[in-house]
Amino acid sequence: MKVVIVGGVAGGASCAARLRRLDEKAEILMVERGPYVSYANCGLPYHIGGVIEKESSLLVSSEAMFRAMFAIDVRTNCEAIKISPDKKTVELRNVATGEVTTESYDKLVLSPGAASVRPPLPGIDLPGIFQVRTVPDARAIREWIERGSLFLAGMHKYSGFQTVRPKTRAVVIGGGFIGLETAENLVHRKFDVTLIEMLDQVLAPLDQEMARIVEGYVERHGIRLALNDGVAEFKQTANGSLEVLTKSGKVYPADIVILALGVRPETSLAKAAGLEIGERGGIRVDEHMRTSNPDIFAVGDAVEVKDFVTGQWSLIALAGPANRQGRIAADFIAGRNSRFRGTQGTSIIGLFGAAAAWTGASEKTLNRIGDKDFEKIYLYPNSHAGYYPGARPIAMKVIFRKSDGRLLGAQALGEDNVDKRISALAMAIQMGATIYDLEEAELCYAPQFGSAKDPVNFAGMIAGDVLRGDMPISHWDSAEKGFLLDVREPVELAVEHVTGAVNIPLGQLRTRLGELPRDQEILIICRSGGRAYYATRILLQNGFRARTLSGGLLSRFHALLLVN
Ligand SMILES: Cc1cc2nc3c(=O)[nH]c(=O)nc-3n(C[C@H](O)[C@H](O)[C@H](O)COP(=O)(O)OP(=O)(O)OC[C@H]3O[C@@H](n4cnc5c(N)ncnc54)[C@H](O)[C@@H]3O)c2cc1C
C-alpha cells in the first residue's frame, strides 16, 4: 500500500509516524511545501520574544529523522499542486526548481493546515508588516527587530559609525491567541505595543465578561488595546516607519506590524479535486477522517469537525485535535476502526504569568444556536489552600444543562493552576459527566496543590445547589428585579458600593429578618457569592423568596480580580 501525505507538520507528521508503527510494509511519502517538517509552530511567538532563544529548538524533528527512524520518504520544499482522484495520482512541484513529478497513491492524506487571513488592504505588503505562521516568518521578524530601522540610519556623533534607531513601536492586529501571544512577547522585548481588534473583545471563544478580565490584565502589563476597530490601510512615512490607519479614523504609528487576523482552512487542493467542502468552509470528513472520496483523508486545521457539545460543524485550529486526527486517519488506513469523537475546543493561553483557558460551549454559542436549557455559575476559588503561601484566585464560569445537569462548558482565568482545572473539566465533558459527577470527583489534594474541596468539586457543589433548589441564583445581566440585599461588612462597602442595595451583614441577618420584604424576591450579594449563599439558605428557611447573585461583586467587577 502506498500512502501519500500532504503537509508535514502536526496532523501530517503524526499520521505518518503512526502509520509506520502500524504497518512496516506501507510505502509512505510525506510532502511539505515549506523547508521544515514537524516543527513547533506553537513556539513561534516565544522565539520572537527570545524565551525560546534558538531557532533549532523549534525543529522538533527532521527529514533525516523521519527517514532513519520511520523509513518515511519525506520531501520538503515540495508542494502538492493537483490531485487526480480518478487516476489516484498527485502532482508534486519542487519549490526550488519548479520541476513537476507525479506520484500515485492508494490512500492520500491531506493535512495542509490553515492559511493566515490576509485581506487585500492598501499597503499590506509594505516592509515591516509580518505574520506569525512559520519558522521563516519568525526569523524574518527577529531579523527586522534586531536590524533596527535602516530608514532612520544616521551617523554617531562621536564614533562616526552608522547608527540605527531601535524599533520601539509595535502594532499587532488581531486579538486571538497568536496576536496576544506575540503582543506579550513584544512587550518583553521592550516594545510599546498596541493591539487592534475588530470585535468588542479579545479571545473570541470566551464570553465577553470573562474576556474583560484578560483585557484588564494585559492592559496592566503594557498592551494597549483598541477594540471595536478594524484596520483600513497601511502607510509608509517619509522616515520609513509605518502608520496603521483604522476604520474609525485613528492612526497608529509603528516600527513593526504583526498581522494576526485569524486563519482559514487551506482547501484549494481539495476543492480542485472535487472533494466536499462543508458549510463552515473546511473539508468535510466523516468520523474516520475520510473525505467525500473514500481513498482521500483529511485532518487538522483544514477540516470541519463536529462540536462535541453542540453537535454543530465547526472549525478548530488546534494542535491537539490535528495530532489525534492524524493518528485516527493512520489507524483507519491500517485497518483499525478508530473514530474521532469531535472537538470541544479546549484551549489555553498564557499571558504575563496568568492563563486563560476554556473548554466546551460558551454562553454566547448556546445563545447563538438558540439553546435555552442551560444555567451558568461564577466562582472564585483559590488555586490551592488559602493558608498555604502562593494561593491565587481563579475566576471560573461553569455552564451546565438545567434539565439534567450535564456539564456543557467552562472558562477559567488566573495566575496559578488554571490548566489543570480546565483539563479536568474538559475530560468530564468528554465523558458526558454532570455537575453531580464534579461534586464526587476525587482529585489530588495537599495544601500546596489544591483544596480538600478542589475548585472542580466546588463548581459541582455550587451548580448542584442551584439545580436542587438549595440556592436559587440570579445574574447581573438578568432581567430579574428584586430587593437588593448586601450581606457584606460595612467596611467593605467603602471599597465598593452597590446603589440601591440594603446592607445587613450576614452575622446580623437572623436578628434583622423583620427589615426584609415578604412580597418581593430578595437578590443577595456579597463579594464572591459565598456569604450570599449562606444568607439565601437563612432566608429560604424563613419563608422568604431569595436568590444569590452568582459570583457576587467579583462577577460584576471581574477586571479588578487579577491585579498584582
Ligand atoms: C504561531 C502559532 C501558535 C500556535 N499555538 C498553538 C497552541 O499554543 N496550541 C494549539 O493547540 N495550537 C496552536 N497553534 C495551532 C496549531 O499549530 C495548528 O492547529 C496545527 O499545527 C494544525 O496542524 P495541521 O497539520 O492541520 O497544519 P500545520 O501544522 O499548519 O501543517 C500544515 C503544513 O502543510 C503544508 N502544506 C500546505 N499545503 C501544502 C501543499 N499543497 N503541499 C505540501 N505542503 C503543504 C504547510 O506548509 C504546513 O507546513 C498555533 C499555530 C501558530 C501558527
Side-chain angles (χ1 to χ4, degrees):
M1 177 172 58
K2 180 171 173 185
V3 180
V4 176
I5 299 171
V6 175
V9 188
S14 74
C15 180
R18 173 73 172 167
L19 189 57
R20 172 57 73 229
R21 291 195 294 272
L22 297 180
D23 187 347
E24 254 315 281
K25 298 217 169 60
E27 184 185 345
I28 306 172
L29 166 62
M30 181 168 81
V31 299
E32 165 55 50
R33 182 169 54 192
Y36 305 110
V37 287
S38 197
Y39 65 89
N41 40 14
C42 307
L44 295 175
Y46 303 95
H47 181 48
I48 292 168
V51 180
I52 301 170
E53 190 45 55
K54 285 199 206 132
E55 186 179 288
S56 58
S57 306
L58 298 169
L59 307 176
V60 181
S61 185
S62 67
E63 221 173 311
M65 197 278 264
F66 269 97
R67 281 181 206 280
M69 276 184 62
F70 298 113
I72 290 169
D73 180 5
V74 177
R75 297 183 205 166
T76 52
N77 295 311
C78 178
E79 184 178 16
I81 52 172
K82 187 178 172 199
I83 305 166
S84 302
D86 44 338
K87 291 190 262 175
K88 292 179 77 169
T89 59
V90 54
E91 281 178 30
L92 306 176
R93 188 174 66 90
N94 182 315
V95 174
T97 63
E99 186 196 354
V100 176
T101 52
T102 303
E103 292 283 346
S104 62
Y105 64 80
D106 296 305
K107 301 288 175 198
L108 178 68
V109 180
L110 302 177
S111 187
S116 301
V117 170
R118 199 179 167 86
L121 295 171
I124 197 161
D125 293 323
L126 282 169
I129 302 180
F130 300 93
Q131 63 180 23
V132 186
R133 182 94 211 138
T134 63
V135 174
D137 289 340
R139 188 187 306 147
I141 292 170
R142 279 179 63 115
E143 282 172 5
W144 179 261
I145 291 172
E146 280 149 26
R147 202 173 56 189
S149 168
L150 291 177
F151 302 102
L152 295 169
M155 199 76 87
H156 190 270
K157 59 182 171 183
Y158 298 122
S159 67
F161 289 138
Q162 176 150 318
T163 61
V164 289
R165 192 173 78 82
K167 297 186 179 304
T168 54
R169 300 160 304 176
V171 172
V172 176
I173 299 162
F177 283 106
I178 298 175
L180 276 168
E181 286 176 355
T182 309
E184 177 191 1
N185 278 285
L186 290 170
V187 169
H188 293 321
R189 292 197 70 148
K190 309 279 181 251
F191 274 79
D192 175 56
V193 181
T194 303
L195 186 145
I196 301 173
E197 165 58 55
M198 201 159 65
L199 298 177
D200 53 3
Q201 68 169 82
V202 298
L203 295 175
L206 281 177
D207 284 323
Q208 196 177 43
E209 75 282 15
M210 302 304 277
R212 287 284 173 265
I213 311 179
V214 179
E215 290 157 10
Y217 192 74
V218 299
E219 282 185 318
R220 283 195 294 283
H221 284 81
I223 298 177
R224 190 179 308 108
L225 292 178
L227 302 178
N228 277 312
D229 205 358
V231 174
E233 187 180 350
F234 303 93
K235 278 188 178 161
Q236 197 169 47
T237 65
N239 69 9
S241 63
L242 294 161
E243 281 179 349
V244 180
L245 284 66
T246 66
K247 290 186 179 141
S248 72
K250 296 209 174 71
V251 179
Y252 295 93
D255 297 302
I256 185 169
V257 172
I258 304 290
L259 300 175
L261 294 147
V263 293
R264 52 167 182 74
E266 179 60 81
T267 54
S268 46
L269 264 182
K271 269 187 198 154
L275 302 181
E276 186 185 347
I277 303 296
E279 64 209 44
R280 307 293 304 272
I283 304 171
R284 181 55 64 83
V285 288
D286 67 11
E287 57 189 352
H288 305 299
M289 310 313 299
R290 265 183 314 195
T291 65
S292 52
N293 181 316
D295 293 319
I296 305 179
F297 294 69
V299 302
D301 292 0
V303 304
E304 278 188 13
V305 283
K306 274 273 169 82
D307 183 296
F308 188 78
V309 176
T310 64
Q312 307 249 319
W313 289 106
S314 64
L315 293 171
I316 298 283
L318 288 171
N323 274 279
R324 294 202 306 281
Q325 292 162 5
R327 188 180 159 95
I328 287 165
D331 278 4
F332 199 74
I333 291 169
R336 299 192 178 192
N337 198 25
S338 300
R339 291 186 156 86
F340 186 63
R341 293 180 181 179
T343 184
Q344 301 156 230
T346 308
S347 305
I348 186 161
I349 178 171
L351 291 165
F352 302 103
W358 58 90
T359 183
S362 63
E363 182 180 358
K364 66 180 160 194
T365 298
L366 294 171
N367 284 333
R368 180 171 50 77
I369 63 175
D371 187 339
K372 306 232 177 296
D373 181 16
F374 73 89
E375 182 54 281
K376 60 180 174 181
I377 54 166
Y378 297 95
L379 61 155
Y380 302 89
N382 275 327
S383 55
H384 59 249
Y387 61 82
Y388 189 90
R392 303 290 299 146
I394 301 178
M396 293 175 75
K397 175 175 183 176
V398 176
I399 303 170
F400 49 96
R401 216 166 260 319
K402 265 197 287 203
S403 53
D404 61 5
R406 189 182 151 208
L407 186 60
L408 299 176
Q411 306 173 20
L413 309 142
E415 291 172 319
D416 186 33
N417 276 319
V418 166
D419 55 336
K420 76 174 175 188
R421 274 56 194 237
I422 290 296
S423 289
L425 293 169
M427 194 62 214
I429 289 176
Q430 198 171 110
M431 302 313 291
T434 64
I435 46 128
Y436 309 113
D437 295 314
L438 301 186
E439 289 181 297
E440 295 298 327
E442 190 168 307
L443 303 167
C444 297
Y445 166 61
Q448 65 273 48
F449 299 109
S451 303
K453 274 184 210 156
D454 190 87
V456 170
N457 300 126
F458 201 38
M461 289 169 188
I462 294 173
D465 284 339
V466 172
L467 287 194
R468 291 186 198 100
D470 292 340
M471 183 178 67
I473 54 170
S474 187
H475 301 287
W476 291 101
D477 60 2
S478 102
E480 285 152 359
K481 295 276 173 286
F483 180 91
L484 262 185
L485 171 65
D486 188 339
V487 295
R488 293 175 300 155
E489 296 303 313
V491 64
E492 294 173 79
L493 304 193
V495 182
E496 217 168 291
H497 175 68
V498 179
T499 312
V502 170
N503 179 229
I504 303 179
L506 179 65
Q508 300 173 19
L509 190 59
R510 287 185 181 86
T511 55
R512 294 175 59 184
L513 292 177
E515 296 172 38
L516 296 172
R518 290 194 177 270
D519 59 345
Q520 53 177 312
E521 191 150 58
I522 302 173
L523 300 178
I524 309 175
I525 46 178
C526 65
R527 181 172 175 275
S528 64
R531 281 171 288 177
Y533 165 51
Y534 303 144
T536 303
R537 293 302 305 147
I538 295 170
L539 295 195
L540 288 176
Q541 291 179 69
N542 279 281
F544 290 92
R545 283 189 296 135
R547 282 177 192 271
T548 297
L549 260 164
S550 183
L553 285 164
L554 285 179
S555 66
R556 193 177 185 212
F557 300 109
H558 298 289
L560 298 174
L561 183 72
L562 298 172
V563 180
N564 61 8

